[in-house]
Amino acid sequence: MTDLSSQKLIVPALGGLYSRATPLFEALLRVAVGLWMVPHGAQKLFGLFGGGGIAGTAGFFSQIGLEPAVPLAVLAGLGEFVGGLLLAIGLFTRPAAVATTIVLAVAVMSVHIGNGFFAQGGGFEYPALWFFASLYFVFRGANQYSVDAKLGRAF
């Protein structure tokens, strides 16, 4: 949670609202980042939502020079699907965020960076935004609204 006691707020009356709302919205962001990853993993692993499954993903990975393509397709799919689920519920939050962050970094650097910035042209804008959101949870971990907190353990 952000320590507001060291900040001089322009509207001090908002300090209580910020203190109470920050953990809720941080948890909401964690859930959104995790759940947004899951369908991408389902595309890669199971061919759902118009995805190519392992074979189609591996074929695409081979085309762009990511080898060995089949194991990398499985790892990418698991990173998105399982990592996304774990991140969403806040279980093994940091390792799950590491998995999603790595997948997103590879997507940015191997698929999107050459297409410029803007998402409508296939650029890196959208996956990079999700990369930074996921990276936040690598360093922050979960908060009290997580399975990690209920277990009293965190990485």
Side-chain angles (χ1 to χ4, degrees):
M1 182 180 330
T2 304
D3 179 18
L4 295 172
S5 63
S6 64
Q7 296 181 9
K8 294 191 187 256
L9 296 174
I10 293 171
V11 181
L14 293 174
L17 173 65
Y18 296 155
S19 292
R20 287 187 305 277
T22 296
L24 294 171
F25 284 99
E26 188 175 66
L28 181 61
L29 177 63
R30 191 191 71 245
V31 169
V33 171
L35 290 182
W36 260 243
M37 296 301 294
V38 172
H40 293 281
Q43 288 179 313
K44 289 174 181 65
L45 293 173
F46 313 120
L48 298 176
F49 311 114
I54 298 296
T57 302
F60 174 70
F61 281 9
S62 285
Q63 285 179 338
I64 62 171
L66 290 176
E67 296 288 351
V70 171
L72 289 176
V74 171
L75 285 174
L78 289 172
E80 290 175 341
F81 190 81
V82 176
L85 286 174
L86 291 173
L87 186 58
I89 66 171
L91 178 61
F92 307 121
T93 302
R94 285 187 175 98
V98 165
T100 58
T101 301
I102 289 170
V103 172
L104 287 160
V106 172
V108 167
M109 299 309 294
S110 64
V111 177
H112 298 279
I113 197 85
N115 297 325
F117 177 75
F118 294 103
Q120 68 263 32
F124 64 89
E125 173 184 24
Y126 186 72
L129 176 64
W130 288 106
F131 164 84
F132 286 111
S134 182
L135 184 64
Y136 173 81
F137 294 103
V138 171
F139 293 98
R140 177 68 172 111
N143 64 14
Q144 69 261 34
Y145 303 112
S146 67
V147 176
D148 286 343
K150 297 298 178 212
L151 296 175
R153 296 282 213 194
F155 275 84

